Amino acid sequence: QVKLSKSLCDCAERDFVQRRVQSRGNGNDNTIGEDDFHRWLTLTRIQARSRHGRFLKQTDEMKKKQQQQGMTIVAEVEDWNMALMLDDAMKASLRQK
């Protein structure tokens, strides 16, 4: 399970509004919407799991104990920022094709 920190939620709200205003102001048909926001949150959760897994070195016994207890990972602003960067890179690569 991945929870979102309060600071991440605040940042996500601010970034969503900012990007939505920018997309509308550019006369762009691709306005930022709910689907974009959900994709960013999904990428954020994936990033948090990835970050957590990279730095967590455990014995098999510790892993089993955490699985039984239902370990929770907290996604932070850095995960959100990485998710936005990845999404921007994916969109840029699609435009180049």
Side-chain angles (χ1 to χ4, degrees), residues 24-86:
R24 286 181 174 175
N26 292 339
N28 197 344
D29 287 339
N30 299 327
T31 57
I32 300 296
E34 186 178 338
D35 290 342
D36 298 295
F37 188 69
H38 285 290
R39 184 177 60 253
W40 299 338
L41 290 176
T42 298
L43 290 170
T44 299
R45 289 183 182 99
I46 292 169
Q47 170 60 29
R49 284 182 185 272
S50 175
R51 177 180 48 83
H52 185 75
R54 263 195 321 256
F55 297 111
L56 189 62
K57 294 185 179 181
Q58 301 176 335
T59 65
D60 288 336
E61 184 178 317
M62 289 171 68
K63 286 180 186 177
K64 186 185 246 183
K65 192 176 198 178
Q66 284 186 334
Q67 286 173 348
Q68 291 170 346
Q69 294 173 352
M71 183 180 73
T72 300
I73 298 167
V74 178
E76 300 291 346
V77 173
E78 68 181 272
D79 300 312
W80 171 258
N81 290 333
M82 292 298 292
L84 289 181
M85 287 174 39
L86 176 59

